[in-house]
Amino acid sequence: MRSLQLFRFIFNIYILWCLEIVLVGVVPIEIPSGNAANNIVNFSVEEVKALEQFYPLAKNDLYLEYQHSAFYLIRWLRAKNLDPKKAKEFLATSLHWRKENKIDTLRYDNEMAKLQSRYPFTTHLRGKDGIPVGELQLPRWDIRKVMIAGKRAIIRRYSIYYLETMFQITRELNHTDFVVLMDLNGLNNRQHTCFRCLPFYLDFAVSYENNYPNMALYIVAINAPRLFEGNSYWLPT
């Protein structure tokens, strides 16, 4: 019995790691400011130099006006340790993915919007200095059911719909990042952390890392299950 509990504990940690969650107890949370961390006036000398080298390499791949801004470009550089050539390849791959999968219009996809009652999230919350906060109501997502039904591709695209919506809101508010808030009250092993659920978390993590790098300033979970009671984990985004 203890071995089974230990296995479930390790398995749940792995799923939460895929989402890069900051796991906390039931405590008041002050949402931090994105501008405090990433405002352009705080770009280092090295980052400014890297941007000057990066932009000429990347500009032919950029096809929308906002993509030419330093706020947008710096994320790709930081993801590749300020290496302009690696960042250029990383960005080009993501831009190709956006075109191929019609991501630029995904935010206004009526089919995705219809799913929001079954897989709810909110985007109206704002933290300190107006940073956008996207609340994921994960316990209301019956992940096991959708995976058993063979709808992995749909739920994967829906999770991208969430990320893209938050990205566009963040951009429109002139912020460089957002906060993900998860209320885990009601999370259970059968519907959310079963073996069949694992591909969902992997898909979410891969979509984020490959196409929205450094967008989530913090990912915060509250009302964590009893399994994690008394534990806090910091996994950097």
Side-chain angles (χ1 to χ4, degrees), residues 120-149:
F121 66 84
T122 63
T123 61
H124 66 278
L125 299 175
R126 300 290 178 265
K128 188 177 180 181
D129 294 337
I131 186 171
V133 179
E135 181 188 6
L136 269 178
Q137 300 171 24
L138 193 60
R140 292 178 59 187
W141 295 33
D142 194 336
I143 297 169
R144 182 177 185 273
K145 182 178 180 180
V146 73
M147 297 303 284
I148 288 176

Side-chain angles (χ1 to χ4, degrees), residues 14-224:
Y14 178 67
I15 286 179
L16 293 173
W17 174 82
C18 286
L19 292 174
E20 299 178 314
I21 288 177
V22 181
L23 186 59
V24 297
V26 186
V27 295
I29 292 178
E30 180 181 1
I31 300 300
S33 164
N35 283 356
N38 288 326
N39 194 289
I40 193 167
V41 299
N42 290 327
F43 284 0
S44 68
V45 173
E46 290 77 13
E47 287 176 335
V48 172
K49 289 181 178 178
L51 279 167
E52 290 173 350
Q53 297 173 35
F54 179 41
Y55 182 68
L57 295 175
K59 67 178 182 180
N60 289 336
D61 295 319
L62 309 177
Y63 60 91
L64 293 174
E65 185 177 351
Y66 75 80
Q67 295 168 352
H68 292 262
S69 85
F71 289 100
Y72 177 78
L73 296 172
I74 193 62
R75 294 190 291 107
W76 305 92
L77 275 169
R78 287 172 175 168
K80 293 300 178 181
N81 297 316
L82 303 185
D83 185 317
K85 291 183 179 179
K86 289 182 179 180
K88 191 267 185 195
E89 293 175 5
F90 188 31
L91 173 57
T93 299
S94 180
L95 293 176
H96 176 74
W97 169 83
R98 292 185 69 87
K99 290 180 179 179
E100 189 173 45
N101 293 281
K102 300 179 180 179
I103 303 300
D104 294 303
T105 57
L106 183 59
R107 182 182 174 187
Y108 306 103
D109 189 319
N110 290 331
E111 293 304 312
M112 293 292 103
K114 290 177 183 177
L115 294 175
Q116 202 160 348
S117 61
R118 279 185 283 170
Y119 310 103
F121 66 84
T122 63
T123 61
H124 66 278
L125 299 175
R126 300 290 178 265
K128 188 177 180 181
D129 294 337
I131 186 171
V133 179
E135 181 188 6
L136 269 178
Q137 300 171 24
L138 193 60
R140 292 178 59 187
W141 295 33
D142 194 336
I143 297 169
R144 182 177 185 273
K145 182 178 180 180
V146 73
M147 297 303 284
I148 288 176
K151 296 180 179 179
R152 178 180 177 180
I154 293 175
I155 197 67
R156 178 174 58 232
R157 187 163 179 82
Y158 184 76
S159 67
I160 296 169
Y161 169 71
Y162 164 76
L163 290 170
E164 180 65 16
T165 299
M166 288 307 303
F167 162 64
Q168 294 296 346
I169 290 173
T170 300
R171 182 182 66 79
E172 290 164 3
L173 292 174
N174 294 319
H175 277 263
T176 56
D177 39 33
F178 59 85
V179 171
V180 178
L181 177 63
M182 293 187 185
D183 186 345
L184 298 185
N185 184 32
L187 196 77
N188 65 79
N189 286 324
R190 186 174 185 276
Q191 290 178 293
H192 306 107
T193 60
C194 61
F195 282 113
R196 289 181 178 270
C197 302
L198 182 58
F200 164 77
Y201 296 100
L202 292 174
D203 288 343
F204 190 99
V206 169
S207 296
Y208 171 77
E209 290 292 339
N210 288 348
N211 301 291
Y212 302 92
N214 299 318
M215 280 298 300
L217 180 63
Y218 287 108
I219 305 178
V220 179
I222 60 173
N223 294 333

